[in-house]
Amino acid sequence: MKWRRWVLVLCMLLGLSAPGWVSAQEEVVINPAEPLIIGLDPTFAPYGYEENGEMKGFDIEIAAEVFDEMGMEYKFQPIDWGMKEQELYNGNIDMIWNGYSVSPERKQQVAFSKPYIEGRVGILVREDSDIRTKADLAGKVVATQEGSSQLEAIQADEAFIESIGELVTFSSFNEVLAELESGRADAIVIAELVTRYYFTQNGQGEHYRMLEEDFGVTETAVGFRKSDTAFVEEFDAALDKVMASDAYDESYNRWFAEIGGDSSESQSRDYWGPLFEGLKTTIFFFVVTLVLSIPLGLLIALLEQSGPRWFKAVVQVYVYIFRGSPLLLQLMIIYFGLPFIGFTPDRVESALFTMVINYAAYLVEIFRGGLNSIPEGQYEALRVLSIDRWTGLRRVIIPQLWKIVMPSVGNEVISLVKDTSLVYILGLNELLKAGRALSTQYASLVPYLNVGIIYLVFTGIVTLCLRYIERRIQD
């Protein structure tokens, strides 16, 4: 029974938040005959990031050395960092390797390799600040990155949490640093190694000061499924050899130089090239979703109008579900939930399927409203003139329908331009994600401004096209 499958999917998804969810697919193991798939956040410089289609960073270079030592092929798979453990246990990736800090909570979910780097969790303030110690932060605003090991370190210090005025979290280091720069935060808690890279990139290190007190030292390692412990032992042996080599020291000094050190990475900055690559993905999802969802929505609305009561009830449930829940949640359920019942669509298939049925649900309601606004007398006239239903729809009803619904359809089309950015959750490198990667890579907010300009130009072109179509329909 299909309904039983869907109940199973819902149960599995609800179980994702339970502590023991990872046990559901522990039988998935690394296949040494196939290239290893390394999951990473392609925006997390200096550990691993994408530049002009090429992966760069400290972890990228160490991975090359380790798998050369092991004689194994590998490839990188961009993922959304917030879904990394789900990606691992769904079998979409074989390991998590991207500045992945070791913590007691994560040890319950994954098998860690030996740590290959460690760094201090520090407190950064402005250079002119009077704050010298943790105690000086009593009643002050402190910011850090959400979902980070720094946040876990703060939360573990209950006395500190109770003493400060407010703890604010942001999705990226750039946003955290901007909060300190603007004066809205009095201090930020950050990984010292990452801070070195940022200040080497933007040359603003002299404006800030690191307190002597800190939240301890965190270790960084590679995360595997707990069912891959045999592979982890082999991996650790190769990692030990690499860490003892000159190649490791050269990479470390290149990516984590002291503040003020030389950085060849800052010599050329290409903001637009990667953004236009991301724009191609955005346009692809916009066009395909638009082309498929409009006829699907119209067809369902027409079938509902003349269909039996049970069919109308099914359509109403479909519309209720997809209009009543966030598109982001639907993307996560389709991509991460379907593998539990034996369907494993890839990232592009999952994103397209979800966006098409989501937008078709909205369009069904728009077309249904348009059909209901056409006087019943016109349908009766078609029957009196013995014109069959589909000929009447094609030549009389639908031309009128377009004139009625075009403004509402236009609003949905504009919304679709912006909603394409949600496919980032599946690790797809669309325009906004490309901007975020550049912002992290160059320690600058300028890429976000460029992304805004591209979206405005894109939306402007779409608006002009819609107005042209609307004028042609009204003529």
Side-chain angles (χ1 to χ4, degrees):
M1 296 288 290
K2 290 185 177 178
W3 66 269
R4 288 182 177 173
R5 284 190 164 189
W6 284 108
V7 170
L8 178 61
V9 170
L10 290 175
C11 291
M12 291 292 188
L13 291 170
L14 289 173
L16 290 179
S17 59
W21 70 268
V22 295
S23 62
Q25 294 200 345
E26 281 189 350
E27 68 275 9
V28 179
V29 294
I30 289 176
N31 181 357
E34 297 182 358
L36 299 165
I37 303 175
I38 304 173
L40 83 168
D41 174 2
T43 69
F44 194 35
Y47 288 98
Y49 62 94
E50 186 173 359
E51 181 179 357
N52 297 326
E54 181 183 359
M55 291 296 178
K56 294 184 176 180
F58 178 72
D59 285 358
I60 307 301
E61 294 178 1
I62 300 303
E65 296 291 335
V66 169
F67 292 123
D68 182 62
E69 180 72 28
M70 297 178 71
M72 299 188 71
E73 296 182 358
Y74 66 97
K75 61 181 179 181
F76 294 100
Q77 173 59 58
I79 59 172
D80 179 73
W81 195 243
M83 306 299 292
K84 51 190 176 300
E85 285 85 12
Q86 286 89 335
E87 295 271 15
L88 182 66
Y89 279 93
N90 272 2
N92 299 323
I93 59 176
D94 293 316
M95 66 193 75
I96 303 167
W97 195 344
N98 201 191
Y100 193 37
S101 300
V102 178
S103 70
E105 293 77 13
R106 288 173 174 173
K107 281 183 176 178
Q108 295 178 4
Q109 298 182 334
V110 303
F112 276 107
S113 69
K114 291 182 178 179
Y116 60 91
I117 193 171
E118 62 181 28
R120 196 166 70 108
V121 178
I123 303 172
L124 192 72
V125 298
R126 292 184 298 277
E127 178 61 35
D128 58 356
S129 172
D130 295 331
I131 298 170
R132 301 288 173 184
T133 65
K134 279 185 178 179
D136 293 338
L137 288 169
K140 305 289 187 182
V141 177
V142 178
T144 192
Q145 190 172 354
E146 62 188 19
S148 65
S149 58
Q150 298 86 53
L151 178 59
E152 292 179 7
I154 297 173
Q155 291 172 333
D157 191 339
E158 295 182 2
F160 179 77
I161 289 287
E162 292 177 359
S163 69
I164 61 175
E166 184 181 6
L167 177 61
V168 186
T169 60
F170 295 90
S171 61
S172 73
F173 178 83
N174 268 342
E175 294 160 0
V176 175
L177 187 59
E179 195 73 353
L180 178 63
E181 187 176 9
S182 67
R184 290 189 288 259
D186 299 291
I188 61 175
V189 178
I190 40 77
E192 186 174 12
L193 288 178
V194 176
T195 308
R196 287 186 193 175
Y197 171 80
Y198 272 69
F199 287 154
T200 302
Q201 289 291 307
N202 62 24
Q204 297 180 356
E206 70 273 14
H207 301 307
Y208 302 94
R209 171 167 47 83
M210 192 76 76
L211 301 189
E212 292 185 3
E213 286 186 278
D214 58 34
F215 286 93
V217 173
T218 59
E219 296 178 326
T220 302
V222 184
F224 297 88
R225 286 180 290 266
K226 291 196 172 182
S227 53
D228 284 318
T229 51
F231 181 86
V232 175
E233 292 180 5
E234 184 182 354
F235 178 90
D236 282 345
L239 181 62
D240 281 339
K241 293 181 180 178
V242 172
M243 291 180 65
S245 68
D246 293 338
Y248 179 90
D249 294 334
E250 290 172 3
S251 291
Y252 183 92
N253 293 330
R254 181 162 54 253
W255 293 104
F256 301 117
E258 293 292 340
I259 296 173
D262 178 53
S263 172
S264 57
E265 296 293 323
S266 62
Q267 299 306 311
S268 68
R269 297 186 175 190
D270 178 11
Y271 286 145
W272 292 104
L275 293 183
F276 286 133
E277 286 299 316
L279 179 62
K280 292 178 183 177
T281 303
T282 295
I283 292 175
F284 169 76
F285 282 103
F286 171 78
V287 171
V288 176
T289 302
L290 190 64
V291 168
L292 295 181
S293 62
I294 289 180
L296 179 60
L298 176 59
L299 178 62
I300 294 174
L302 292 173
L303 293 174
E304 183 197 23
Q305 187 187 40
S306 58
R309 294 182 63 180
W310 68 265
F311 182 77
K312 292 182 179 179
V314 170
V315 172
Q316 288 172 4
V317 170
Y318 155 65
V319 170
Y320 173 75
I321 291 174
F322 283 93
R323 287 205 316 167
S325 57
L327 175 56
L328 187 65
L329 177 63
Q330 296 164 20
L331 285 163
M332 294 167 63
I333 288 177
I334 295 294
Y335 181 68
F336 294 106
L338 288 184
F340 283 96
I341 56 173
F343 300 106
T344 311
D346 66 24
R347 297 166 198 279
V348 175
E349 292 169 347
S350 298
L352 281 179
F353 175 75
T354 309
M355 295 193 70
V356 168
I357 59 175
N358 175 278
Y359 267 84
Y362 282 89
L363 292 166
V364 165
E365 284 301 278
I366 292 174
F367 288 128
R368 186 179 64 81
L371 290 169
N372 290 340
S373 67
I374 295 175
E376 181 63 26
Q378 295 199 27
Y379 294 99
E380 294 176 355
L382 292 173
R383 288 193 289 271
V384 170
L385 294 173
S386 300
I387 298 175
D388 66 82
R389 173 174 171 75
W390 291 108
T391 302
L393 286 174
R394 183 164 52 86
R395 295 189 174 181
V396 180
I397 301 301
I398 291 179
Q400 295 181 71
L401 177 63
W402 279 117
K403 292 182 180 179
I404 296 169
V405 304
M406 196 58 207
S408 299
V409 171
N411 286 334
E412 292 301 317
V413 173
I414 296 298
S415 295
L416 176 58
V417 173
K418 295 171 285 187
D419 280 351
T420 54
S421 63
L422 297 178
V423 301
Y424 84 89
I425 196 71
L426 304 187
L428 295 166
N429 190 35
E430 46 72 44
L431 176 58
L432 185 55
K433 186 169 185 175
R436 183 185 170 198
L438 286 171
S439 178
T440 305
Q441 176 185 340
Y442 295 128
S444 169
L445 296 178
V446 172
Y448 284 133
L449 298 177
N450 295 352
V451 169
I453 292 171
I454 294 176
Y455 268 118
L456 288 175
V457 172
F458 189 4
T459 304
I461 294 172
V462 172
T463 301
L464 290 175
C465 293
L466 289 170
R467 287 180 179 174
Y468 173 77
I469 295 172
E470 198 170 341
R471 284 198 302 271
R472 292 296 302 268
I473 291 175
Q474 297 298 337
D475 290 342

